[in-house]
Amino acid sequence: MTTVEPARVAQDARHRTAGPKLILATTFMGIFLLNLSSMAMNVALPGIGRDLGGSTAGLQWVVDAYTLMFAALLLSAGALSDRIGASRAFGAGVAVFTVASAACGLAPGLGELITARLVQGSAAAIMLPSSLALVRQAFSDAAERARAIALWTVGGAVAVAAGPVAGGVLASTLSWRAIFAVNLPVGIATLAVLTRAERSPRRIAPLDPYGQLTAVVALAALTFAVIDGGENGFGEPVVLGCLGLAAVATAAFIMIEARTAAPLIPLDLFRSRTVTVSVAIGFVVNAAFYGLVFVLSLFFQDVLDLSPMATGLMFLPMTAVIAGANLASARAAARFGPRFPIAVGQAVLALAMFGLLWIDVGTGRPVIASMLVPVGLGLGFFVPSLTAVLLNDIAADRAGTAAGILNSFRQTGGALAVAAFGALLAHGDEFMSGLRVGLCAAAVMLTATTVASLTLPRRQG
């Protein structure tokens, strides 16, 4: 009988198991892909329309198919990750995301592309919470874990900054299909690393399938009604039917959440003014930002006749300042309390939206790009403090649920904004009139939530 030296066993185990830094790099790339796919796609929309046909409504669905599933399934993705283990959930999400990316790149028509985007958004919803759980699992030391989570968040900020430029470069030099092709090697490399990752433990986590189903139906029906209403008129029977379905599904969702033992959204959380105001702010800010990016991507290419690469460069000054504003937000919150950066960030966003009302075909390109800088500053300045003030208001054991609700409402705001802004463009007599109505509506909502944010706690308790 042979024996194996303990040192040799330990060495082999280290060889088989990916270290914490490699796990962090893998999850970083996963989060990078999620945000890159979202931001890069906007720049490619006119090219997709030319190649595959379809109206503004069809292009809206290319964006919203992804965002809708991401927003709706994010509510239960955390519990699913716990049930099957974070490593398995993240691996499954990456695998499906990679296959869906290939399907997007090979899509022969708009319908096939939208279907693949639905699958891609579903995979993204699984990847987000499981990637964070993997980071927490890989770093046992609290200080190292905090630094790792900070780096994990940078993945999203970097992707937001790089997305429009990367999408523009790929669409201009190759094709919009290349935006999806770059996901394939990254996805395959990520799966290779995950085969060496330590298996995450499984935990009993209750699911709420009926609540999840009604949430998807309500959001999908409302999004369809807004998009189709902008295209064909809100008096059409199919639009009215979808609005009615959305109302029924929403009512059913509320009833289910009030009665189930483990709801997706515990309604008692909204008894807290801080939770209610924070969720409303997250919804409105994302609606303003993603609605703006959607319409300006069309404005730059369809009205100003810019190339996809030039369009991406127009967004670069805006997105490049987000990460720096994130850091400034933390310092401002430490000195003045979290309410200050939340209110100031929204106020800057609202002023930027009002300022953009004056742009037209004759406005210089550098002027427009510079006018977008306050958008990035305002967005980056408020987000970290909003998350902090929400989590500080609730019990620690409900932090994951609250964070999931906030992120779900933020994604929902983005999805509905693309539907609503696109409906304004489709329904208006001129492109610029629809753009200005959308910007004005966003500015007014931001003004309202800025005032509401003054009711949040001045300092952390």
Side-chain angles (χ1 to χ4, degrees):
M1 180 176 180
T2 60
T3 60
V4 181
E5 298 178 2
R8 178 71 176 274
V9 174
Q11 184 179 7
D12 291 344
R14 285 193 297 269
H15 178 73
R16 291 193 303 270
T17 305
K21 292 183 179 179
L22 190 55
I23 294 296
L24 175 60
T26 302
T27 57
F28 180 101
M29 290 307 301
I31 296 306
F32 183 87
L33 283 180
L34 301 190
N35 288 277
L36 185 72
S37 180
S38 177
M39 294 299 296
M41 185 49 49
N42 285 283
V43 179
L45 289 175
I48 292 173
R50 288 190 295 270
D51 286 355
L52 302 183
S55 60
T56 300
L59 298 181
Q60 288 170 271
W61 274 114
V62 172
V63 177
D64 269 355
Y66 177 90
T67 311
L68 187 152
M69 296 306 292
F70 193 6
L73 297 182
L74 196 58
L75 291 169
S76 58
L80 180 62
S81 175
D82 288 341
R83 285 176 70 96
I84 67 176
S87 59
R88 297 177 185 84
F90 187 63
V94 171
V96 174
F97 190 91
T98 303
V99 172
S101 295
C104 288
L106 297 172
L110 200 61
E112 291 84 355
L113 176 58
I114 292 172
T115 301
R117 289 283 283 171
L118 284 168
V119 178
Q120 202 179 35
S122 302
I126 300 298
M127 289 170 64
L128 181 62
S130 58
S131 65
L132 182 56
L134 267 179
V135 173
R136 293 175 63 90
Q137 172 188 315
F139 292 86
S140 57
D141 180 76
E144 290 183 355
R145 186 188 305 129
R147 288 192 293 270
I149 291 175
L151 290 173
W152 177 84
T153 62
V154 169
V158 172
V160 169
V165 178
V169 170
L170 291 170
S172 292
T173 59
L174 297 172
S175 164
W176 60 266
R177 297 180 187 274
I179 295 173
F180 298 106
V182 297
N183 294 342
L184 305 186
V186 178
I188 293 170
T190 300
L191 290 172
V193 173
L194 285 173
T195 61
R196 295 173 52 198
E198 181 181 353
R199 288 291 175 261
S200 304
R202 302 186 185 193
R203 183 175 69 86
I204 298 176
L207 297 177
D208 179 11
Y210 298 112
Q212 182 64 85
L213 176 62
T214 51
V216 171
V217 171
L219 184 54
L222 180 58
T223 303
F224 182 90
V226 175
I227 291 176
D228 198 65
E231 183 82 359
N232 301 310
F234 285 91
E236 291 294 312
V238 66
V239 174
L240 295 175
C242 283
L243 288 174
L245 176 60
V248 171
T250 300
F253 175 78
I254 293 173
M255 291 177 60
I256 291 169
E257 298 307 281
R259 296 180 180 182
T260 189
L264 293 176
I265 300 181
L267 300 181
D268 63 298
L269 282 177
F270 290 93
R271 295 172 185 166
S272 164
R273 182 175 59 192
T274 298
V275 172
T276 302
V277 172
S278 297
V279 168
I281 291 172
F283 179 94
V284 168
V285 171
N286 262 42
F289 179 72
Y290 285 101
L292 175 71
V293 171
F294 175 78
V295 296
L296 286 186
S297 294
L298 299 179
F299 172 67
F300 291 151
Q301 295 182 67
D302 291 346
V303 178
L304 299 186
D305 201 28
L306 298 181
S307 68
M309 185 183 300
T311 297
L313 292 173
M314 289 289 287
F315 285 118
L316 183 59
M318 175 187 74
T319 57
V321 301
I322 292 177
N326 284 164
L327 298 175
S329 174
R331 290 194 291 268
R335 182 171 182 180
F336 303 108
R339 189 172 73 183
F340 175 79
I342 294 172
V344 171
Q346 289 182 95
V348 170
L349 266 174
L351 291 173
M353 295 290 174
F354 279 123
L356 288 168
L357 290 172
W358 305 105
I359 66 171
D360 57 27
V361 178
T363 307
R365 294 358 176 216
V367 174
I368 297 176
S370 64
M371 293 175 71
L372 290 175
V373 171
V375 176
L377 289 173
L379 179 72
F381 197 57
F382 104 95
V383 170
S385 295
L386 182 71
T387 304
V389 79
L390 171 67
L391 297 183
N392 186 71
D393 188 70
I394 62 174
D397 61 347
R398 307 184 85 180
T401 299
I405 292 171
L406 175 61
N407 285 316
S408 181
F409 270 82
R410 288 181 59 192
Q411 294 296 328
T412 300
L416 293 180
V418 169
F421 275 52
L424 291 171
L425 299 182
H427 191 64
D429 295 331
E430 297 180 0
F431 186 99
M432 292 307 300
S433 63
L435 186 150
R436 291 192 176 102
V437 170
L439 289 174
C440 188
V444 170
M445 289 190 297
L446 284 166
T447 301
T449 52
T450 299
V451 174
S453 68
L454 299 179
T455 66
L456 294 173
R458 183 184 298 272
R459 293 194 175 274
Q460 298 285 37

